[in-house]
Amino acid sequence: MASDSADPVSLFISIGLSEQKAKETLKNEALSSALKEAVIQAQGVMGAEVDKGTGTLLYNLASKLKEQKRLGFLAGYIAHKKISTDLQLNAALDYVKSHPVDPISVEEFERQCGVGVVVSPEQIEDTVEAIISKHKELLMKERYRFNMGLLMGEARSQLKWADGKIIKNEVDMQVLHLLGPKTEADLEKKPKAPKQKAAAENEKVEAADGDVKLEGKSLMQQLRGEAMKFHKTGENYKTEGYVVTPNTMRLLREHLELTGGQVRTRFPPEPNGILHIGHAKAINFNFGYAKANNGICFLRYDDTNPEKEEEKYFTGIRDMVEWLGYKPYAVTHASDYFQQLYDWAVELIRRGHAYVCHQRVEEIKGHNPPPSPWRDRPTEESLLLFEGMRKGKFAEGEVTLRMKLVMEDGKMDPVAYRIKYTPHHRTGDTWCIYPTYDYTHCLCDSIEHITHSLCTKEFQARRSSYFWLCNALDVYCPVQWEYGRLNLTYTVVSKRKIVKLVETGAVRDWDDPRLFTLTALRRRGFPAEAINNFCARVGVTVAQTTVEPHLLEACVREVLNDSAPRVMAVLEPLRVTITNFPAPQQMEVKVPDFPADESRGSHSVHFSSTVFIEQADFREVTEKGYKRLTPDQPVGLRHAGYVISVQKIIKDPSGKVVELQVSCARADSREKPKAFIQWVSNPLRCEVRLYERLFLHKNPEDPSEVPGGFLSDISPNSLQLIEDTMVDQSVAGAKVFDQFQFERVGYFSVDPDSTESKLVFNRTVTLKEDPGKI
């Protein structure tokens, strides 16, 4: 029998591993330690000689088992040959994962793992014979082209604990007996079935539960799908890395009794800035996952830093959540729980898991700060000092309360409480100590009985501390799941950097339409539905996603194409006088709101002897490919039913064309013109703001791309003001954020700067480019 001091490589080779595999195993300290323990236990039962089959099972056990306290239990079953197949071992691993708390019911365990179950050759033969008989007609017709995997699948499901190789041999033998040896015809390749045209990847789908229309799969469909391998409610312990304590199962039972097995998520923004496009993904994920599973989602403000929080941010965050179409189950604040959090901090000290530290903030920054000399101070001393912190006996930064743990990123003893003498927006001067994110987050999740704490990937390093703190206090412990952030190129979303942009005058405010904050996107005219569609198209991934703005703009066009009524507008007008206007006074022309579906309504516009067209829609010289108005080429007026031809060009002293005199004729009385253009008559004069990208480079924060910093990368052409745009009178009653398509120009939205005397329009996005029209 081998001893504990035996050479591990020789020990591993003795159970059937190759020398190379044995050496590789030794590099993994946890695996080699578990395998050594399992082999030594098996040798205690079987003697020094452990056969290769048993050795393989022991290796699989050591590499797959997450909870090492079950190693000896399972290794014993393998050594006694009670577990003798991979199928049984996998069932055993699943069972112990689902039953983390002692004692294990041996009877139930053995039943679930097939211990003692013997499947006789006769049972295998009879079962396979019945299955083949069931498919005999199709087998005889297709012969060896028949999908034999179907037979194997049915046999394996009926003979769960039988040896798969024996089943396969029996299937092969009975098929051979029925069909005889393969013929030349059997060996010919099976002709491929004609491919059905796959549904277009970008096909619109209407979700059955009233979701917004999305391309491909809706977000709800994605969140119900196989991509989300989240734990079921109450089965938190099945999550890898989740720590099970003697109280875990009791706390989970109490949690299930309170929630009824309901999925609970939360969206927990800090109220110190405005939400941006990355938050839209978080909102869609948290609220969407709850909705997809008939659960609830809290909007919880993480208001633990009174220095940076303002009421406008609280209001702005809720407005944006509701604008995107989500209604929180409840609106809560971390400050709602300040007393409970304080009481738990006192309990944490009493249990020896926290201490008051006098190191300054600058001393403990970074990943390798010096260890605290106060880490092992007496519990009573920390309790008195913490009470002193609460009563305001120390200056800001003089002392902190720290937790005794090492985080996954190596950070030692994170701060739980710090002193701030800034009045809180909700609690006033009641508190002068405030909890940190590392302390607050998991405990607020616990209080609200959150089932799935969804956060971005950078919080992965805090997962172990999340579990540690809940377990240190013996409170219900939710599960933290991480997903990848959403980033866009040609922009910045950092609060600090947006403040810099505002302070330097590069943008007007947080809602400047050149930014990618949600308030800015709404002001620019981006529909909430388009932003939700964009989040669905990007999808829920673990990896960070960086995309270019044109993907978001494409989603915007798709929604506005279906929802924005058409009107005519001229950004740079050129006066046109119709010398033979066919009526003594102006006429009314009916313009469909949606030309592709005229049943959706229409509006009327004036048509008189004076109209205005775009300057770009006239050229003095006809050039190849140019299809609009020239002295030699007539053009049609959209919706009017008339074609105009140039009679006279009038210029100012500088030679600039200022007016055209034209004649008109009915469109049905002459040859169809090459193009029809928009026009206005007796129009409204409006201001239009044309927006382009704010930054010149894709990654304005990257020093290698922009050495001078993001403020040096501002595009001088990111905003163009046109103060005397002419728009037809049908928009006169438009309200703020109403959206229109200016025909042949782009999509526009009414800006909040509009007044009763003058409307202001923001260009949301341009129309799709049409290279065929010049």
Side-chain angles (χ1 to χ4, degrees):
M1 186 186 299
S3 67
D4 288 359
S5 60
D7 171 32
V9 173
S10 301
L11 184 66
F12 298 160
I13 291 173
S14 74
I15 63 168
L17 269 63
S18 67
E19 184 177 353
Q20 182 182 354
K21 185 74 173 177
K23 288 179 177 178
E24 285 176 6
T25 301
L26 199 59
K27 293 176 184 177
N28 185 327
E29 186 177 340
L31 173 59
S32 60
S33 174
L35 181 57
K36 181 178 177 181
E37 184 180 333
V39 173
I40 291 172
Q41 181 169 339
Q43 288 178 331
V45 174
M46 306 174 72
E49 296 297 325
V50 175
D51 61 272
K52 186 173 181 179
T54 302
T56 301
L57 288 173
L58 292 172
Y59 180 84
N60 290 341
L61 169 65
S63 59
K64 293 179 181 179
L65 184 65
K66 302 299 181 186
E67 187 54 72
Q68 294 302 308
K69 72 176 183 178
R70 303 293 187 200
L71 183 69
F73 176 75
L74 295 178
Y77 270 86
I78 293 172
H80 286 97
K81 300 290 187 179
K82 291 183 177 182
I83 291 177
S84 56
T85 66
D86 279 332
L87 198 64
Q88 285 182 300
L89 177 59
N90 290 334
L93 290 168
D94 286 342
Y95 185 88
V96 297
K97 185 177 181 181
S98 302
H99 298 76
V101 178
D102 291 327
I104 277 184
S105 168
V106 173
E107 182 180 348
E108 185 184 11
F109 170 79
E110 292 187 349
R111 183 170 64 253
Q112 292 291 327
C113 302
V115 173
V117 176
V118 177
V119 183
S120 68
E122 291 77 14
Q123 284 177 282
I124 296 174
E125 183 181 349
D126 292 345
T127 302
V128 172
E129 187 177 340
I131 292 168
I132 288 179
S133 177
K134 173 183 168 185
H135 297 282
K136 183 175 180 181
E137 186 178 340
L138 194 57
L139 256 171
M140 295 295 289
K141 180 181 177 182
E142 295 189 359
R143 291 181 57 79
Y144 288 99
R145 290 176 180 172
F146 182 84
N147 180 10
M148 301 300 173
L150 182 64
L151 305 180
M152 277 296 298
E154 288 191 26
R156 289 300 296 265
S157 66
Q158 293 183 38
L159 301 165
K160 183 176 180 181
W161 304 115
D163 189 312
K165 291 179 182 177
I166 297 174
I167 295 176
K168 186 176 187 310
N169 289 338
E170 185 64 31
V171 169
D172 291 345
M173 188 178 70
Q174 291 201 31
V175 168
L176 180 64
H177 180 73
L178 176 67
L179 303 179
K182 288 184 179 180
T183 64
E184 287 187 15
D186 292 327
L187 296 171
E188 290 178 8
K189 285 187 177 179
K190 186 176 181 178
K192 289 184 178 178
K195 281 188 178 178
Q196 291 186 340
K197 189 175 180 181
E201 187 178 333
N202 293 338
E203 182 182 353
K204 286 189 178 179
V205 176
E206 180 72 57
D209 56 2
D211 266 355
V212 291
K213 290 180 181 177
L214 305 174
E215 291 191 355
K217 287 186 177 180
S218 78
L219 186 68
M220 294 300 119
Q221 290 168 323
Q222 290 183 48
L223 293 175
R224 294 189 194 104
E226 281 296 298
M228 294 294 97
K229 299 289 188 182
F230 290 162
H231 68 281
K232 294 178 182 177
T233 53
E235 295 186 354
N236 305 27
Y237 54 85
K238 290 189 176 181
T239 305
E240 186 172 343
Y242 191 85
V243 180
V244 177
T245 72
N247 291 318
T248 294
M249 303 312 285
R250 173 183 59 79
L251 291 167
L252 287 175
R253 282 194 299 272
E254 292 171 358
H255 160 75
L256 283 173
E257 287 171 11
L258 188 145
T259 64
Q262 182 182 51
V263 166
R264 291 183 164 210
T265 61
R266 82 291 168 271
F267 174 58
E270 296 176 69
N272 59 7
I274 296 297
L275 303 182
H276 55 71
I277 187 66
H279 290 113
K281 179 178 178 180
I283 292 168
N284 271 278
F285 193 12
N286 279 283
F287 282 91
Y289 183 71
K291 181 180 177 183
N293 292 280
N294 300 313
I296 59 175
C297 183
F298 293 78
L299 169 59
R300 185 206 307 144
Y301 295 109
D302 182 16
D303 57 342
T304 57
N305 190 352
E307 294 173 335
K308 297 182 179 180
E309 293 154 6
E310 295 181 40
E311 183 58 36
K312 67 177 181 179
Y313 297 137
F314 287 86
T315 306
I317 287 168
R318 184 165 185 176
D319 284 350
M320 289 300 98
V321 169
E322 293 180 349
W323 175 62
L324 289 176
Y326 294 108
K327 184 173 176 58
Y329 167 74
V331 177
T332 61
H333 304 74
S335 57
D336 295 339
Y337 313 121
F338 274 176
Q339 185 62 52
Q340 177 65 79
L341 294 172
Y342 175 80
D343 292 343
W344 274 338
V346 171
E347 181 62 23
L348 203 64
I349 296 170
R350 285 200 181 107
R351 295 184 177 206
H353 297 311
Y355 63 97
V356 172
C357 176
H358 299 274
Q359 285 178 296
R360 296 279 178 175
V361 173
E362 54 272 17
E363 290 181 69
I364 58 177
K365 275 186 176 178
H367 286 290
N368 293 302
S372 172
W374 292 278
R375 195 174 200 267
D376 297 318
R377 76 188 325 159
T379 297
E380 290 304 319
E381 194 174 303
S382 281
L383 286 169
L384 285 170
L385 289 168
F386 189 51
E387 186 180 355
M389 288 172 62
R390 165 79 189 269
K391 291 180 177 179
K393 293 182 177 180
F394 299 97
E396 285 192 22
E398 189 177 349
V399 288
T400 58
L401 181 70
R402 297 175 68 182
M403 298 176 281
K404 293 183 181 179
L405 79 145
V406 180
M407 301 178 74
E408 287 180 45
D409 59 0
K411 185 179 176 183
M412 185 100 171
D413 293 358
V415 172
Y417 270 86
R418 73 275 202 221
I419 297 170
K420 287 184 181 293
Y421 288 110
T422 305
H424 192 273
H425 72 288
R426 296 184 75 237
T427 61
D429 294 324
T430 303
W431 299 89
C432 63
I433 56 171
Y434 293 96
T436 60
Y437 175 89
D438 286 327
Y439 179 78
T440 308
H441 179 60
C442 61
L443 295 180
C444 286
D445 282 353
S446 179
I447 291 169
E448 293 176 352
H449 281 268
I450 301 303
T451 57
H452 299 77
S453 181
L454 309 175
C455 56
T456 46
K457 196 72 175 172
E458 66 264 32
F459 293 101
Q460 186 169 5
R462 288 165 158 151
R463 191 198 277 199
S464 62
S465 63
Y466 183 107
F467 295 155
W468 175 88
L469 183 51
C470 289
N471 290 328
L473 289 166
D474 280 325
V475 297
Y476 161 70
C477 183
V479 179
Q480 176 176 300
W481 291 96
E482 302 87 15
Y483 60 92
R485 285 174 66 104
L486 169 61
N487 295 318
L488 253 66
T489 54
Y490 295 101
T491 191
V492 296
V493 294
S494 154
K495 296 166 190 172
R496 181 176 56 81
K497 289 176 180 173
I498 292 177
V499 167
K500 284 278 188 188
L501 290 170
V502 175
E503 288 175 349
T504 57
V507 298
R508 293 173 60 186
D509 207 338
W510 290 80
D511 64 347
D512 188 297
R514 290 166 290 181
L515 296 173
F516 281 83
T517 61
L518 294 184
T519 50
L521 295 178
R522 179 175 66 174
R523 184 169 186 170
R524 186 162 173 170
F526 282 33
E529 182 182 351
I531 293 172
N532 292 339
N533 290 1
F534 170 68
C535 292
R537 188 183 295 185
V538 169
V540 179
T541 59
V542 175
Q544 179 171 290
T545 306
T546 301
V547 296
E548 295 197 19
H550 67 76
L551 179 59
L552 174 57
E553 291 168 0
C555 293
V556 171
R557 287 191 189 94
E558 287 169 11
V559 172
L560 291 179
N561 183 54
D562 192 53
S563 63
R566 277 53 169 170
V567 298
M568 291 192 290
V570 174
L571 302 190
E572 296 180 315
L574 173 62
R575 185 184 186 92
V576 175
T577 302
I578 302 173
T579 57
N580 63 336
F581 190 72
Q585 56 189 15
Q586 69 181 18
M587 299 188 292
E588 295 291 316
V589 172
K590 182 180 177 182
V591 178
D593 293 336
F594 297 91
D597 183 3
E598 296 192 15
S599 67
R600 295 180 65 185
S602 63
H603 59 276
S604 295
V605 299
H606 301 305
F607 180 37
S608 68
S609 59
T610 300
V611 299
F612 296 88
I613 66 172
E614 285 284 359
Q615 292 178 19
D617 284 339
F618 170 72
R619 289 184 186 176
E620 290 189 72
V621 179
T622 304
E623 298 175 7
K624 185 178 179 181
Y626 187 77
K627 298 179 180 180
R628 287 162 280 165
L629 186 63
T630 70
D632 306 318
Q633 183 169 274
V635 73
L637 298 179
R638 287 178 69 81
H639 309 299
Y642 286 88
V643 176
I644 57 173
S645 302
V646 176
Q647 302 295 311
K648 184 179 180 182
I649 301 171
I650 301 172
K651 300 182 180 182
D652 66 10
S654 68
K656 179 183 176 182
V657 176
V658 293
E659 184 181 350
L660 300 175
Q661 292 183 356
V662 303
S663 62
C664 74
R666 288 198 60 82
D668 55 10
S669 68
R670 55 176 300 161
E671 184 181 348
K672 182 179 179 181
K674 292 181 179 179
F676 285 82
I677 61 174
Q678 85 274 18
W679 53 274
V680 292
S681 182
N682 296 326
L684 285 178
R685 291 185 179 270
C686 305
E687 179 180 317
V688 161
R689 299 169 181 174
L690 304 180
Y691 294 100
E692 299 290 348
R693 288 172 180 161
L694 180 59
F695 294 100
L696 297 169
H697 291 84
K698 265 189 178 185
N699 303 295
E701 298 171 276
D702 184 349
S704 64
E705 203 170 320
V706 186
F710 72 100
L711 289 175
S712 70
D713 199 45
I714 304 294
S715 168
N717 303 315
S718 63
L719 171 60
Q720 179 187 353
L721 292 179
I722 304 177
E723 294 188 355
D724 284 314
T725 291
M726 296 181 175
V727 188
D728 76 49
Q729 291 277 351
S730 67
V731 303
K735 302 184 294 296
V736 171
F737 301 136
D738 279 356
Q739 296 150 336
F740 301 93
Q741 185 197 102
F742 289 0
E743 292 199 50
R744 298 181 60 242
V745 179
Y747 293 101
F748 290 78
S749 175
V750 181
D751 188 84
D753 287 344
S754 298
T755 64
E756 289 185 8
S757 60
K758 192 169 190 177
L759 287 173
V760 178
F761 285 93
N762 295 321
R763 184 172 67 189
T764 306
V765 287
T766 58
L767 297 175
K768 287 184 178 178
E769 293 181 1
D770 185 352
K773 283 190 177 180
I774 300 178

